[in-house]
Amino acid sequence: RVSIYNEAVQAKFPLLGLRFKNTTGQDLMQGPVSVYEGGTYSGDGRIMDLQPNEERLLSFAIDQGVEIKAEHGASTEKLIEVKVIKGVMYVTHKLRETKCYQVKNRSPQDRDLIIEHPVRDEWALVAPEKANEVSRDVYRFDQAVAAGKTAKLDVIEERSRTNVAGLAATDDVIIKLFLSGSVASEKVKEALNKALAFKAELATTRNDLARVQNRLKAITEDQTRLRANVANVPPTSAAYKRYLEKFDTQETDIEKLQKDIADKQEAERAQQASYDSYLAGLTVE
């Protein structure tokens, strides 16, 4: 005789049940089962097909003498691996979850309790180290609870989760966290530092290019103003002469800025190509 707890079936109470074994030496067809104890009717259940010597759990009533509270305990996440394969960063974390089953036996009889905990894809059982029984859907843990006493079972599971992202698209703050930690190997850290150096050089070139382009835009807009002023003042005036001199100076500046822009654009393309080539061939663990 056992009590069977499954949170998905009955969240508060286990079910009264039996370990039912076919000892007839013949196949036993599925069907309804009535349970009597000491000549008194206790409940109904249903048993599935049983082969000779096969054993099944049979539940037939709610065990209101035992109360169970199932709640989530601590959940943790730990970085365990950082690697780069062909410029793609693979960051692996180990996730750990705990489910706590608090048991209170209020009945005057001891209980042999079976706690069913769901089997989840990708999650591995850590504690208890081994289940007493494993079906396709659940782990089963045996828990003896004396009359009037309490018991506790913590089920701990782990799984790995890997995040995949291109190194070029990974935020520098995250990369620096990996560099300051102890998980990434020295080879990985060296590769990440070199990637940051490429990115910093490229960012500097782009900032310089944007600054020169803004300067060219400002001069071009000022020339529009100068043209309007030249058209509205007498050619013999001092202002006319001053506007022409400034216009001529700006033309020289524009030529220099245009050349500077072309040089920086070429430098940007070369640096980007070097960075892309470095990432394409980067594999380090």
Side-chain angles (χ1 to χ4, degrees):
R1 178 172 179 168
V2 294
S3 291
I4 308 161
Y5 178 76
N6 187 312
E7 185 183 12
V9 175
Q10 173 61 249
K12 188 174 181 179
F13 301 107
L15 302 178
L16 288 171
L18 302 169
R19 288 190 181 274
F20 191 96
K21 185 174 183 180
N22 179 12
T23 60
T24 65
Q26 300 182 29
D27 293 342
L28 179 63
M29 291 180 61
Q30 61 178 303
V33 176
S34 294
V35 179
Y36 291 82
E37 186 173 8
T40 303
Y41 171 77
S42 296
D44 290 323
R46 184 176 182 84
I47 197 72
M48 304 306 291
D49 292 336
L50 285 177
Q51 303 298 316
N53 296 316
E54 187 177 2
E55 185 178 290
R56 291 283 180 88
L57 291 174
L58 169 67
S59 58
F60 56 87
I62 295 177
D63 184 0
Q64 295 184 331
V66 178
E67 186 174 331
I68 300 178
K69 183 178 181 181
E71 56 187 0
H72 289 286
S75 297
T76 60
E77 184 173 332
K78 181 181 179 182
L79 177 66
I80 61 171
E81 185 181 50
V82 178
K83 63 182 180 181
V84 181
I85 299 177
K86 293 184 178 180
V88 178
M89 180 173 286
Y90 294 79
V91 181
T92 303
H93 290 80
K94 180 76 74 176
L95 284 68
R96 173 174 286 205
E97 289 188 359
T98 301
K99 189 72 172 286
C100 302
Y101 295 91
Q102 303 278 357
V103 184
K104 184 175 183 180
N105 184 3
R106 298 176 301 176
S107 71
Q109 293 87 28
D110 296 344
R111 286 289 197 270
D112 289 327
L113 179 65
I114 297 174
I115 295 177
E116 294 187 337
H117 180 84
V119 173
R120 298 185 293 170
D121 292 340
E122 300 182 0
W123 288 86
L125 183 65
V126 176
E129 186 175 340
K130 186 178 180 181
N132 298 96
E133 184 181 348
V134 182
S135 72
R136 183 176 60 183
D137 301 316
V138 296
Y139 298 107
R140 293 192 177 102
F141 303 99
D142 294 345
Q143 181 73 55
V145 189
K149 300 296 183 179
T150 61
K152 179 183 177 183
L153 175 69
D154 289 338
V155 179
I156 303 174
E157 296 171 287
E158 284 184 344
R159 62 163 289 199
S160 296
R161 185 191 69 203
T162 300
N163 296 327
V164 181
L167 180 54
T170 303
D171 192 274
D172 289 358
V173 175
I174 296 176
I175 294 177
K176 289 175 181 178
L177 285 176
F178 298 148
L179 290 173
S180 64
S182 59
V183 174
S185 68
E186 290 304 316
K187 289 183 178 180
V188 170
K189 288 183 178 181
E190 182 181 349
L192 294 181
N193 273 316
K194 191 170 181 179
L196 285 178
F198 271 111
K199 290 178 72 175
E201 182 183 30
L202 192 55
T204 298
T205 300
R206 286 172 175 169
N207 288 336
D208 290 344
L209 176 60
R211 177 179 54 79
V212 176
Q213 287 173 330
N214 289 335
R215 175 64 180 153
L216 178 61
K217 179 182 178 183
I219 292 177
T220 302
E221 291 174 350
D222 191 48
Q223 284 202 322
T224 301
R225 180 185 64 83
L226 288 175
R227 288 190 182 94
N229 290 339
V230 168
N232 292 322
V233 297
T236 58
S237 66
Y240 185 88
K241 182 179 179 181
R242 187 171 66 252
Y243 291 150
L244 286 180
E245 289 177 350
K246 186 175 183 181
F247 196 89
D248 184 59
T249 301
Q250 285 184 341
E251 282 295 315
T252 301
D253 291 341
I254 287 174
E255 291 177 0
K256 292 180 179 178
L257 290 173
Q258 288 174 336
K259 183 178 184 307
D260 199 10
I261 288 174
D263 291 342
K264 292 186 182 303
Q265 287 175 334
E266 180 60 31
E268 179 190 15
R269 285 191 290 270
Q271 290 169 4
Q272 183 68 62
S274 296
Y275 185 35
D276 292 342
S277 176
Y278 172 71
L279 293 181
L282 180 60
T283 295
V284 61
E285 299 185 19

